[in-house]
Amino acid sequence: AQSVTQPDIHITVSEGASLELRCNYSYGATPYLFWYVQSPGQGLQLLLKYFSGDTLVQGIKGFEAEFKRSQSSFNLRKPSVHWSDAAEYFCAVGPRDFNKFYFGSGTKLNVKP
Amino acid sequence: NAGVTQTPKFQVLKTGQSMTLQCAQDMNHNSMYWYRQDPGMGLRLIYYSASEGTTDKGEVPNGYNVSRLNKREFSLRLESAAPSQTSVYFCASCGGGGGGQPQHFGDGTRLSIL
């Protein structure tokens, strides 16, 4: 069965510190992988996506993610967090034959000044 | 450039009342989706439509019905609302047909059932 696990429900980092949000997936084959961000009261916005090729993908707002097949992981990183990055982040997977997606439960990021 | 538009943005219902949540997209996308978002549970798929004229159940379809009115519009109906359906509902669309195209989301409908 397909599933996505985001083990950290809440994370607090200081502004300027580095960030890593974890995502593990369970899927029969290599899926498409996505990270979305949700600001309060808003819908989800795509940060980045992995289809194939380079395992390190760059996204918007200075985010990047690394796909590790051996660990079934797709962790999101940012070298230096800004206060405006405070939001909830969702990892999602989708099959290669159809656009049906499975979402993790989300990680809420707080940024300390 | 509206993207995905959901109406209404907020709604309060009494138990047993019915209502329809509307969703429209202007990106000529084939696939459309309805999710509900509850604290700590991420997004759970209620129904989806792979293309105009087709609909399929997702993870949590009980208590809901959908209509893919045309390529642009995908509505979600609660026939007899229950307090357990208090949630934030998101509509999404994507190109569909494989290829890993990402979803585009509306801003959500916040629904409270008393």
Side-chain angles (χ1 to χ4, degrees), chain B residues 11-21 63 76-82 85 111 113:
Chain B
Q11 185 70 48
V12 179
L13 293 178
K14 295 181 179 178
T15 298
Q17 287 185 316
S18 62
M19 83 161 294
T20 299
L21 280 60
L76 178 72
R77 182 160 178 85
L78 286 70
E79 291 291 352
S80 179
Q85 295 177 305
L111 182 61
I113 298 159

Side-chain angles (χ1 to χ4, degrees), chain A residues 9 32 34 36 38 40-46 49 51 88 90 95-106, chain B residues 31 33 35 37 40-43 45 48 50 57-58 90 94-103 105-107 110:
Chain A
I9 298 173
Y32 293 124
F34 306 86
Y36 290 85
Q38 184 182 33
Q42 302 294 314
L44 279 69
Q45 179 187 17
L46 180 71
K49 58 190 177 186
F51 288 174
E88 191 160 18
F90 292 92
R96 289 181 173 265
D97 57 348
F98 182 66
N99 296 95
K100 186 177 175 183
F101 302 84
Y102 301 89
F103 285 82
S105 55
Chain B
S31 302
Y33 309 79
Y35 294 91
Q37 184 179 31
M41 302 190 75
L43 275 75
L45 183 63
Y48 67 99
K57 295 178 180 179
F90 287 98
C94 75
Q101 298 176 53
Q103 294 179 310
F105 286 84
D107 286 338
R110 283 141 187 86

Side-chain angles (χ1 to χ4, degrees), chain A residues 23-64:
Chain A
C23 173
N24 293 95
Y25 67 90
S26 173
Y27 204 78
T30 302
Y32 293 124
L33 297 158
F34 306 86
W35 274 100
Y36 290 85
V37 60
Q38 184 182 33
S39 298
Q42 302 294 314
L44 279 69
Q45 179 187 17
L46 180 71
L47 280 176
L48 49 78
K49 58 190 177 186
Y50 171 78
F51 288 174
S52 64
D54 289 342
T55 56
L56 186 65
V57 293
Q58 302 297 321
I60 62 172
K61 305 185 181 188
F63 285 92
E64 64 180 27

Side-chain angles (χ1 to χ4, degrees), chain B residues 6 10 15 21 24-25 27 33 35 47 50-52 55 57 64 68 72-73 76-77 79 92 95 98 101-102 107 114:
Chain B
Q6 292 183 234
F10 302 93
T15 298
L21 280 60
Q25 52 92 7
M27 295 171 283
Y33 309 79
Y35 294 91
Y47 271 93
S51 61
E52 186 179 354
T55 61
K57 295 178 180 179
Y64 305 96
R68 184 74 182 265
R72 289 187 64 247
E73 298 172 289
L76 178 72
R77 182 160 178 85
E79 291 291 352
Q101 298 176 53
D107 286 338
L114 307 176

